[in-house]
Amino acid sequence: QVHLVESGGGLVQPGGSLRLSCVVSENIFDFTSMGWYRQAPGKERELVATINVNGDTRVADSVKGRFIISRDVAKNTVYLQMNTLKPEDTAVYYCRADIPYKVYWGQGTQVTVSS
């Protein structure tokens, strides 16, 4: 059974930064891609950023230039560095890992951007 555990969420003021971490129970290279998604109250879950097995990254237009996805293969961990946070970034952030025909989700971590 694959487990993903997110951490690093919290309350931050607008303009601040946070770094989210996602530790996966398997070798990162077992997955075709890993990524971060978020879901705000009353909205659908949306893609934030992904990184594939080759290390190629993709970032949503809404966070481009502010958020960076990276990984530490030795630690089986994927990170999301979030800078210049805005109130509209408030959401539950979920880690996701993909293999062919199946996806795995973490339990989510709350990020609240407010003064």
Side-chain angles (χ1 to χ4, degrees):
Q1 182 72 17
V2 175
H3 296 283
L4 295 90
V5 180
E6 303 102 330
S7 62
L11 173 64
V12 63
Q13 292 187 344
S17 297
L18 283 175
R19 188 177 79 157
L20 304 183
S21 301
C22 172
V23 181
V24 61
S25 58
E26 308 289 333
N27 189 307
I28 279 183
F29 291 128
D30 288 345
F31 305 100
T32 53
S33 71
M34 293 189 66
W36 290 95
Y37 291 69
R38 67 186 182 186
Q39 187 167 18
K43 295 188 176 181
E44 294 186 355
R45 194 170 297 188
E46 63 176 3
L47 179 148
V48 177
T50 61
I51 183 166
N52 70 14
V53 66
N54 297 320
D56 301 318
T57 62
R58 179 163 67 113
V59 181
D61 288 343
S62 59
V63 303
K64 196 166 292 182
R66 300 189 297 122
F67 290 12
I68 301 170
I69 187 170
S70 63
R71 67 186 181 187
D72 186 331
V73 173
K75 295 182 179 179
N76 289 332
T77 301
V78 175
Y79 302 100
L80 185 68
Q81 178 66 44
M82 306 186 294
N83 302 318
T84 319
L85 282 159
K86 305 175 181 180
E88 51 263 43
D89 295 318
T90 295
V92 178
Y93 284 70
Y94 296 91
C95 183
R96 167 175 157 166
D98 289 50
I99 59 173
Y101 310 112
K102 193 165 186 177
V103 298
Y104 300 93
W105 293 95
Q107 82 287 352
T109 185
Q110 176 71 45
V111 172
T112 302
V113 185
S114 175
S115 55

